[in-house]
């Protein structure tokens, strides 16, 4: 006898051959390309969960996609499906911070205070620190505010020219036209802990001439002297720019002038009110010191002889002191 045996097909679900977790960085592309097989030889299709493309498993990440994504993998033969979960880790792609400074170049005079603000932004909203690497002497940088008064010694070279001498009388002209200058670069740095960005600021410092300064003089400005007695006049002057100083003395004697010395000796030969003046110049600016001198003459008492009649004996000689003008 024959027995007819009927065998019914039992569909088996497909199986993934391999899969593993994946780690990438923002801006990188994802391509899982997972494979699965079917023990029955059925055609298998694989589908990917969000945020991957459902069919291709591709995804190009962008900034702000940092996260850990559980990805559902589905393999199906059309009737049965199997699923697995893998994890996609997207690491942060750190972006550079930016420094915000209104002006990249400043032109200032020596001795002139100026300030400006510095801030920073970060596209990743990271905590930022701002610093100044090469802070000039006398400057400050606190809470984002830079303040500096360049010292009068900042500009070393002095160029003696008509233009520089002329514009020095005006702060605005000096700032604009003076060729005596020194350039200082400030390096501001913003850091998010991983990345640093440098923003240079150019500061052009223009020379400002410092006038000579009288620190002492002799004698006093108001004095009384006797004619024929030598009087010493002296002036002590300092110049903070160490410029060569020129002295010109006006003695009031037919416009007579003496140059090149800080000390003179004067003998007044006639009584009256006199004036002595010295002008000290550094070639660009000048100062003046004056003395008012009251000169008196010796009083010579004449010997007068009277005879018995009371008449003055006129042929009796008398003495007169004569002063010789020394200049």
């Amino acid at each position: 006898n024959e027995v007819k045996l009927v065998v019914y097909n039992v569909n088996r679900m497909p199986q993934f051959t391999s899969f593993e977790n994946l780690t990438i960085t923002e801006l990188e592309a994802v391509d899982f390309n997972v494979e699965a097989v079917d023990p029955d030889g059925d055609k298998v299709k694989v589908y990917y969960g969000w945020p991957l493309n459902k069919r291709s498993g591709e995804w190009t990440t962008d900034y702000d996609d940092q996260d850990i994504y559980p990805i559902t993998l589905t393999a199906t033969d059309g009737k049965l499906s199997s699923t697995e979960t893998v994890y996609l880790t997207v690491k942060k792609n750190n972006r550079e911070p930016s420094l915000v400074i209104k002006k990249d170049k400043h032109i200032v005079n020596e001795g002139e205070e100026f300030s400006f603000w510095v801030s920073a932004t970060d596209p990743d909203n990271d905590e930022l620190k701002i610093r100044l690497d090469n802070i000039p002497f006398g400057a400050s940088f606190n809470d984002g505010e830079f303040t500096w008064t360049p010292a009068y010694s900042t500009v070393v070279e002095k160029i003696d020219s008509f233009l520089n001498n002329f514009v020095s009388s005006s702060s605005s002209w000096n700032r604009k036209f003076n060729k005596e200058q020194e350039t200082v670069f400030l390096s501001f740095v913003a850091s998010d802990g991983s990345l640093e960005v440098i923003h240079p600021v150019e500061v052009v410092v223009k020379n400002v001439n410092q006038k000579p300064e009288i620190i002492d003089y002799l004698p006093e400005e108001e004095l009384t002297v006797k004619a024929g007695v030598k009087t010493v006049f002296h002036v002590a002057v300092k110049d903070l720019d160490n410029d060569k100083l020129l002295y010109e003395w006006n003695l009031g004697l037919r416009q007579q002038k003496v140059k090149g010395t800080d000390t003179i000796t004067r003998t007044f030969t006639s009584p009256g009110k006199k004036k002595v003046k010295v002008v000290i110049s550094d070639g660009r600016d000048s100062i003046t010191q004056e003395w008012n001198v009251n000169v008196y003459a010796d009083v010579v008492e004449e010997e007068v002889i009277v005879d018995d009649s009371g008449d003055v004996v006129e042929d009796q000689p008398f003495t007169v002191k004569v002063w010789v003008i020394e200049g």
Side-chain angles (χ1 to χ4, degrees), residues 84-100:
E84 294 287 349
T85 300
V86 295
Y87 291 90
L88 170 63
T89 301
V90 180
K91 297 190 299 183
K92 175 182 176 180
N93 189 340
N94 192 33
R95 287 172 284 183
E96 288 185 346
S98 298
L99 279 161
V100 181

Side-chain angles (χ1 to χ4, degrees), residues 7 32 38 55 65 90-91 99 102 110 135 153 158 164 172 186 189 192-193 200 207 236 244 250 266 285 293 297 303:
V7 181
F32 263 99
D38 188 272
R55 296 184 182 277
D65 284 335
V90 180
K91 297 190 299 183
L99 279 161
K102 189 175 181 179
E110 288 180 332
I135 187 166
S153 58
K158 182 176 181 178
N164 292 337
S172 59
L186 308 173
V189 181
D192 65 2
N207 181 51
K244 181 180 179 180
N250 188 333
R266 175 76 189 276
D285 292 300
V293 186
E303 182 181 1

Side-chain angles (χ1 to χ4, degrees), residues 107-119:
I107 302 177
V108 298
N109 289 324
E110 288 180 332
E112 179 180 79
E113 181 182 278
F114 76 105
S115 63
F116 57 86
W117 290 92
V118 179
S119 61

Side-chain angles (χ1 to χ4, degrees), residues 51-253:
L52 275 59
N53 181 280
K54 181 179 180 179
R55 296 184 182 277
S56 67
E58 297 176 351
W59 179 38
T60 300
T61 58
D62 201 348
Y63 289 114
D64 301 323
D65 284 335
Q66 176 190 10
D67 208 341
I68 298 176
Y69 299 87
I71 308 295
T72 300
L73 306 176
T74 302
T76 179
D77 61 3
K79 293 181 180 180
L80 293 177
S81 300
S82 63
T83 60
E84 294 287 349
T85 300
V86 295
Y87 291 90
L88 170 63
T89 301
V90 180
K91 297 190 299 183
K92 175 182 176 180
N93 189 340
N94 192 33
R95 287 172 284 183
E96 288 185 346
S98 298
L99 279 161
V100 181
I101 303 176
K102 189 175 181 179
K103 291 174 60 178
D104 291 339
K105 183 176 182 179
H106 296 264
I107 302 177
V108 298
N109 289 324
E110 288 180 332
E112 179 180 79
E113 181 182 278
F114 76 105
S115 63
F116 57 86
W117 290 92
V118 179
S119 61
T121 61
D122 189 88
D124 302 318
N125 295 318
D126 294 331
E127 182 179 352
L128 299 178
K129 292 184 179 180
I130 306 174
R131 69 176 190 271
L132 174 57
D133 279 347
N134 58 333
I135 187 166
F137 177 78
S140 64
F141 183 54
N142 298 311
D143 298 326
E145 184 180 21
F146 174 80
T147 303
W148 187 29
T149 303
Y152 287 100
S153 58
T154 303
V155 181
V156 177
E157 184 180 8
K158 182 176 181 178
I159 305 171
D160 191 13
S161 69
F162 172 79
L163 176 63
N164 292 337
N165 293 341
F166 178 74
V167 301
S168 65
S169 61
S170 166
S171 295
S172 59
W173 289 359
N174 190 75
R175 196 181 303 112
K176 188 172 183 180
F177 298 111
N178 195 337
K179 302 301 181 182
E180 303 164 340
Q181 63 186 41
E182 189 74 29
T183 300
V184 177
F185 283 97
L186 308 173
S187 294
F188 293 94
V189 181
S191 173
D192 65 2
S194 298
L195 294 177
E196 291 187 347
V197 62
I198 300 175
H199 189 132
V201 174
E202 180 183 4
V203 180
V204 179
V205 182
K206 298 299 185 80
N207 181 51
V208 173
N209 188 55
Q210 297 181 89
K211 286 185 177 182
E213 181 182 344
I214 296 175
I215 57 176
D216 198 7
Y217 57 86
L218 62 86
E220 297 180 354
E221 292 180 331
E222 302 285 339
L223 68 153
T224 299
V225 299
K226 185 169 68 173
V229 177
K230 290 183 178 181
T231 304
V232 176
F233 294 87
H234 170 75
V235 60
V237 183
K238 69 175 180 180
D239 187 273
L240 296 177
D241 293 327
N242 294 318
D243 295 329
K244 181 180 179 180
L245 298 178
L246 306 174
Y247 297 83
E248 183 174 279
W249 295 82
N250 188 333
L251 306 180
L253 297 172

Side-chain angles (χ1 to χ4, degrees), residues 309-320:
S309 65
D311 293 331
V312 176
V313 180
E314 294 188 2
D315 58 352
Q316 180 68 29
F318 60 91
T319 302
V320 177

Side-chain angles (χ1 to χ4, degrees), residues 214 217-221 223 232-235 237 246-253 255-266 268 273-281 286-293:
I214 296 175
Y217 57 86
L218 62 86
E220 297 180 354
E221 292 180 331
L223 68 153
V232 176
F233 294 87
H234 170 75
V235 60
V237 183
L246 306 174
Y247 297 83
E248 183 174 279
W249 295 82
N250 188 333
L251 306 180
L253 297 172
Q255 303 303 316
Q256 181 180 354
K257 295 181 179 180
V258 176
K259 297 181 180 181
T261 178
D262 59 5
T263 305
I264 65 166
T265 300
R266 175 76 189 276
F268 297 96
K273 293 184 177 181
K274 315 291 183 177
K275 186 181 293 289
V276 174
K277 180 174 72 172
V278 61
V279 178
I280 307 102
S281 172
S286 61
I287 54 175
T288 301
Q289 174 63 39
E290 291 187 357
W291 290 267
N292 294 312
V293 186

